[in-house]
Every structure is written in C-alpha cells, then in structure tokens.
Amino acid sequence: MLFMACGVRSYTMRKAFKYRIYPNVNQKRELEIMLETHRRLYNECLGQRKDAYETSQKSIKYTEQSAWFKAERSSNGYYAQLNFSSAQATMRRLQRSFENFFRRVKSGEKPGYPRFKGYGRFTSWTYPAVGDGCRLFDSGKLRLQNIGMVKVKLHRPWQGEIKTLSIKQEADHWYVIASCDVGDAPEPRAEQTTVAIDVGIEHFLSTDDGQHVSNPTYLKQSLKKLRVTGRSVSRKKKGGSNRRKAVHQLQKVHRKVANQRRDFHHKEASKLVQRYAYIAAESLNIKSMVRNSRLSRSISDAGWNQFLGILRSKAEEAGSVFVDVDPKHTSQDCSECGARVHKKLSVRWHKCPNCGLKLQRDVNAARNILAKARYEPLKHNVRHQA
Ligand SMILES: [Zn+2]
C-alpha cells in the first residue's frame, strides 16, 4: 500500500485546551459586561458594513473599522474597557464572516447575509497575542486586563506554546480556551492498518470491514430531556421570569449533552487512532444534507463534523494518515462492481442488481470511501510546510 506515506510533510500543529474558570461575583459581572461589549462592537461594525453596502454598494474594510474603533474608544467608556487586541479580534471575526459570505456568493451559492448576534448568541472573545490583556499561569490562575486574577481548574496541563486565549461562556459557566502550538507532527506510522468509516443515522459509524458503533443510550436519554425542556420553554410566556428560568434550565441540558457527546467523540476517535495508521472518511457537507432531508434533527444531533474534526487532529498527533474524500455517490455505488444503485435514505441495505452484492448500506459506503481515498484524495489533504 504505497499510498500511505505519500504527500505527508511535516507541519506545526495547533491544539486547543479548555479549562473552567471560577470568577468571583464581581469578576462574573465584569466578564458579562465585557462579553456584552464585544457583542455590541460586533453588531455595530456589522451595522456599519450593512449601511455602507445598502446606501452606496461600498464595502468597509477591517482596517477602516479598526481605525474607527480606536477613535471611538475616547468617547465610549465601555469600548475603552476592552483590551485593544481583543477588540480587533472581534472585528476580524466579523471580517471573516464577510469573507466567507462573499466567497460563497462568488461560487454561486446563496448564503444568508451575516447576521446580528442576539443576546446569548455571542458567547466568546479572543486575546490574539500572548500576554496582551490575558495570561494563563500553570499555577492555576488567569490574569485578565480590567478584571484581575481569576481561578482556573487546570484538569490537565496544556502542551506546547500558548498562541491565543479565548474566554467563553456556556450557560452560567465560564471557560478559558488556550490554543497551543504543539510542534511538528510526528513521523508517519509504519503499520499497514487501514480503515474507512461512514457516519450514519442507523449507527453512529460503520467501518469497511462491517463493524458498527451505535450512539450511546445515555446520549439518547439526554436528547429526550432536551426536547422536553425545549417544549417547556416554548409554553412559558415571553419576557416572564418563568421563561427565563426555563431557558436557563435548557442551556444547562444543552451543555450536558454537548459534554457527553464530546466525550463520546473523543473516546471513539481514540479507539480508531490506536488501531489504525490510515483512516479514510467522507468530507461532510452537513449543510446540504440538513436542508434536503427531514432527518435534519438526527443529522445535526450526531455532530459528525465535530467527530471528524477530533478524529483528524488525533490522527495527526499519532502520526496516522487521515484522508477525507468527496462523499458524492459513496452510498449509491456498489463497492463490488461499481454499478450505481439509487436508494433513499430510508433504505438501509445495499442490494446490487448487477453483481448480487448484499451489504448494510453504511458498510458499502465505507468501502467506497476507502477506494476513493486511495485513488482520489481531495487536494486539501496535502498539507504544506508551516
Ligand atoms: Zn454490484
């Protein structure tokens, strides 16, 4: 299997470490104000871009907004409290969402115009330069400009060199996320162990050799609780205190589900990486799937993109090769003879009228993914030296 070592060059890897922080009552209030100020800055800059576009079809650049913000700080007390680099990071975030928007327009898609972030829809901000406004100490402290020293629970040490720090709110908990440069990727592994996986609805994932991993039952139970709590919110009167309580409850369930799912993803990804030196998967375009199907709920629930992201980074850390391929026709084509056998999502078995192959649909897809990975890996799999 010559394909294994081809095209793999060394590059530096980034890894994120997330820790819960424990602000005191005053610090919590300050954090909330800071998050709210970042949200307002984001929305104000979005408004400027929108106005300029609607009145004169002009687009405002990041550099112009950064200069505007610098002047605005002298008269706006809230903006004055923001660390300048972190404010720039928020404005760059807006810039990126516009770049994505225009890229998609250019490629013929019809994306929605970047949207204002409502209260509760903006949950984090970033310090892009180490030591500028924010510093994390391995003694379990976080120093934040204008807020002070905040307690951190370092449940595991971070690796490598911290490049950026982000502060994130999830329901009533606060976190710091350290994005670290962890050095060069390891040498590729020598073993010739290969797997292709297909992520699906019936099973969480299936492999080309016919193994299945199901969604864990505790996750199913939590998702049920999520639906019940969601209904309870919609029954309460808008603006009332009961509704606010129910929303808070809902956020807590959301957080629990997200944590459980991430743990599950980490465990399953670790198992695969321990066993295989070469892993092929489909490159997912969840958006088009969600749009086209009534199964949208279970598709987004499975969080496949998150899983594949975790799998990719674990594979890279371990020196395994991770290849993703264009998923087009992988579930339709026969993995034995190549005949196209059209079937709806609800049809769970691949039965080939041409060669007689009978296979669970996801296993058939996984075999096609492996074949594609060998012969037509996507261009973006070839990483360049950093
Ligand atoms: Zn066939």
Side-chain angles (χ1 to χ4, degrees):
M1 282 187 267
L2 278 171
F3 57 89
M4 291 190 56
C6 296
V8 180
R9 275 171 260 170
S10 87
Y11 53 91
T12 53
M13 290 191 305
R14 276 287 182 98
K15 202 174 166 187
F17 297 86
K18 182 177 174 186
Y19 305 109
R20 182 148 174 215
I21 61 175
Y22 294 86
N24 62 33
V25 180
N26 282 334
Q27 291 173 333
K28 215 171 193 172
R29 202 178 53 233
E30 295 296 327
L31 286 170
E32 275 159 13
I33 292 170
M34 214 166 258
L35 181 62
E36 176 62 10
T37 311
H38 276 282
R39 182 178 80 92
R40 290 187 184 189
L41 173 63
Y42 185 95
N43 284 341
E44 187 164 6
C45 289
L46 175 55
Q48 290 172 358
R49 285 172 184 256
K50 212 172 171 211
D51 286 348
Y53 187 73
E54 280 165 5
T55 56
S56 56
Q57 280 74 54
K58 273 205 303 207
S59 67
I60 298 182
K61 291 191 182 70
Y62 158 75
T63 45
E64 293 171 63
Q65 295 201 307
S66 180
W68 161 82
F69 175 74
K70 203 170 177 180
E72 186 72 9
R73 268 157 75 86
S74 56
S75 60
N76 181 325
Y78 285 102
Y79 285 169
Q81 288 288 304
L82 293 187
N83 166 267
F84 192 70
S85 306
S86 74
Q88 286 182 315
T90 294
M91 288 184 277
R92 275 201 209 96
R93 186 160 142 193
L94 179 67
Q95 168 80 11
R96 274 196 303 277
S97 79
F98 270 87
E99 282 166 0
N100 287 337
F101 171 73
F102 287 121
R103 182 177 44 76
R104 291 181 60 193
V105 169
K106 230 177 167 180
S107 70
E109 291 175 63
K110 288 198 180 97
Y113 194 82
R115 286 169 63 166
F116 290 100
K117 300 276 187 189
Y119 186 77
R121 304 304 292 267
F122 190 93
T123 57
S124 71
W125 73 89
T126 297
Y127 296 90
V130 182
D132 179 359
C134 184
R135 189 182 284 274
L136 182 61
F137 298 93
D138 53 14
S139 58
K141 293 268 183 211
L142 178 75
R143 194 178 64 215
L144 283 166
Q145 185 181 333
N146 292 332
I147 289 179
M149 282 290 195
V150 185
K151 212 175 108 189
V152 185
K153 191 179 176 201
L154 293 171
H155 60 281
R156 58 174 177 153
W158 68 82
Q159 295 162 20
E161 194 189 333
I162 296 177
K163 287 295 183 186
T164 69
L165 289 167
S166 300
I167 306 297
K168 190 168 198 296
Q169 185 185 38
E170 286 177 14
D172 55 348
H173 291 183
W174 289 88
Y175 299 87
V176 61
I177 298 159
S179 173
C180 299
D181 186 342
V182 293
D184 288 344
E187 290 291 305
R189 284 157 71 170
E191 319 102 87
Q192 307 270 303
T193 44
T194 300
V195 73
I197 59 164
D198 182 52
V199 283
I201 289 152
E202 191 179 0
H203 304 285
F204 174 70
L205 68 82
S206 305
T207 66
D208 61 297
D209 59 359
Q211 295 180 54
H212 301 289
V213 175
S214 303
N215 275 304
T217 46
Y218 61 78
L219 198 53
K220 282 183 196 152
Q221 282 157 5
S222 296
L223 287 169
K224 195 174 158 201
K225 186 150 188 231
L226 197 60
R227 278 190 289 276
V228 172
T229 322
R231 276 203 295 272
S232 142
V233 170
S234 53
R235 273 200 305 270
K236 306 270 185 315
K237 210 174 77 195
K238 273 194 176 169
S241 70
N242 282 335
R243 176 146 178 142
R244 205 164 48 239
K245 276 180 207 153
V247 165
H248 186 70
Q249 190 58 33
L250 182 63
Q251 285 172 334
K252 277 167 86 172
V253 181
H254 265 295
R255 187 174 62 211
K256 190 178 171 192
V257 172
N259 287 341
Q260 284 181 331
R261 186 184 288 144
R262 196 171 39 245
D263 286 349
F264 172 65
H265 288 170
H266 271 281
K267 267 188 204 135
E268 291 306 321
S270 294
K271 280 188 213 161
L272 286 168
V273 168
Q274 273 162 23
R275 287 181 61 186
Y276 301 103
Y278 180 97
I279 300 168
E282 60 192 308
S283 169
L284 288 175
N285 186 352
I286 293 286
K287 281 213 175 92
S288 67
M289 291 181 78
V290 170
R291 218 182 294 128
N292 293 339
S293 131
R294 281 184 298 145
L295 293 158
S296 63
R297 182 76 220 176
S298 56
I299 288 176
S300 11
D301 280 348
W304 294 328
N305 267 339
Q306 172 177 287
F307 173 69
L308 291 176
I310 290 170
L311 182 58
R312 174 187 282 276
S313 76
K314 279 194 194 295
E316 287 172 350
E317 261 174 64
S320 296
V321 176
F322 180 90
V323 179
D324 58 358
V325 300
D326 183 352
K328 212 173 177 186
H329 304 310
T330 47
S331 58
Q332 308 298 336
D333 290 0
C334 176
S335 57
E336 189 69 35
C337 70
R340 188 145 300 160
V341 187
H342 290 288
K343 45 191 163 304
K344 288 182 181 161
L345 261 178
S346 56
V347 179
R348 302 315 304 165
W349 281 79
H350 167 82
K351 290 176 192 156
C352 181
N354 189 41
C355 71
L357 178 71
K358 266 192 195 170
L359 210 51
Q360 200 273 342
R361 124 185 228 130
D362 298 336
V363 177
N364 180 61
R367 291 189 182 178
N368 284 326
I369 288 165
L370 186 58
K372 269 196 163 182
R374 285 172 174 173
Y375 298 112
E376 44 179 291
L378 292 178
K379 282 197 182 78
H380 68 254
N381 276 302
V382 180
R383 299 270 190 126
H384 299 285
Q385 209 124 20

Short mmCIF file of all heavy atoms in Angstrom, two decimals, residues 10 57 80 113 145 170 183 185 364 386:
data_model
loop_
_atom_site.label_atom_id
_atom_site.label_comp_id
_atom_site.label_asym_id
_atom_site.label_seq_id
_atom_site.Cartn_x
_atom_site.Cartn_y
_atom_site.Cartn_z
N SER A 10 6.00 17.52 7.07
CA SER A 10 5.85 17.98 8.45
C SER A 10 5.26 19.39 8.50
O SER A 10 5.49 20.21 7.62
CB SER A 10 7.21 17.93 9.16
OG SER A 10 7.88 19.14 8.93
N GLN A 57 -23.32 50.67 -1.99
CA GLN A 57 -22.69 49.43 -2.51
C GLN A 57 -21.20 49.36 -2.24
O GLN A 57 -20.45 48.74 -2.97
CB GLN A 57 -22.96 49.25 -4.04
CG GLN A 57 -24.32 48.68 -4.37
CD GLN A 57 -25.41 49.72 -4.17
OE1 GLN A 57 -25.32 50.80 -4.72
NE2 GLN A 57 -26.41 49.38 -3.37
N ALA A 80 -13.73 51.62 25.86
CA ALA A 80 -12.43 51.93 26.45
C ALA A 80 -11.96 50.81 27.38
O ALA A 80 -10.76 50.62 27.58
CB ALA A 80 -12.51 53.25 27.21
N TYR A 113 -27.04 36.80 4.41
CA TYR A 113 -26.16 37.92 4.78
C TYR A 113 -25.76 37.75 6.25
O TYR A 113 -26.57 37.30 7.06
CB TYR A 113 -26.94 39.23 4.58
CG TYR A 113 -26.07 40.45 4.60
CD1 TYR A 113 -25.38 40.85 3.46
CD2 TYR A 113 -25.97 41.22 5.75
CE1 TYR A 113 -24.59 41.98 3.48
CE2 TYR A 113 -25.18 42.36 5.79
CZ TYR A 113 -24.49 42.73 4.64
OH TYR A 113 -23.70 43.84 4.66
N GLN A 145 -7.00 41.56 31.88
CA GLN A 145 -6.94 43.02 31.96
C GLN A 145 -8.31 43.58 32.39
O GLN A 145 -9.35 43.16 31.88
CB GLN A 145 -6.57 43.56 30.58
CG GLN A 145 -6.35 45.06 30.53
CD GLN A 145 -6.01 45.52 29.12
OE1 GLN A 145 -5.46 44.75 28.32
NE2 GLN A 145 -6.34 46.74 28.80
N GLU A 170 -20.68 29.41 28.76
CA GLU A 170 -21.64 28.36 28.40
C GLU A 170 -22.63 28.27 29.55
O GLU A 170 -22.27 27.86 30.64
CB GLU A 170 -20.94 27.02 28.19
CG GLU A 170 -20.16 26.97 26.89
CD GLU A 170 -19.39 25.66 26.71
OE1 GLU A 170 -19.65 24.69 27.43
OE2 GLU A 170 -18.52 25.65 25.83
N GLY A 183 4.06 21.97 18.14
CA GLY A 183 5.25 21.49 17.43
C GLY A 183 4.94 20.70 16.18
O GLY A 183 3.80 20.65 15.72
N ALA A 185 4.28 17.73 13.50
CA ALA A 185 3.55 16.47 13.51
C ALA A 185 4.56 15.32 13.54
O ALA A 185 5.65 15.44 13.02
CB ALA A 185 2.69 16.38 12.27
N ASN A 364 -21.20 -0.60 2.88
CA ASN A 364 -20.95 -0.42 1.45
C ASN A 364 -20.33 0.96 1.19
O ASN A 364 -19.36 1.09 0.46
CB ASN A 364 -22.26 -0.58 0.68
CG ASN A 364 -22.07 -0.40 -0.81
OD1 ASN A 364 -21.34 -1.15 -1.45
ND2 ASN A 364 -22.71 0.64 -1.36
N ALA A 386 4.61 24.53 7.40
CA ALA A 386 4.17 25.78 8.04
C ALA A 386 5.32 26.78 8.08
O ALA A 386 6.46 26.40 8.12
CB ALA A 386 3.69 25.52 9.45
#
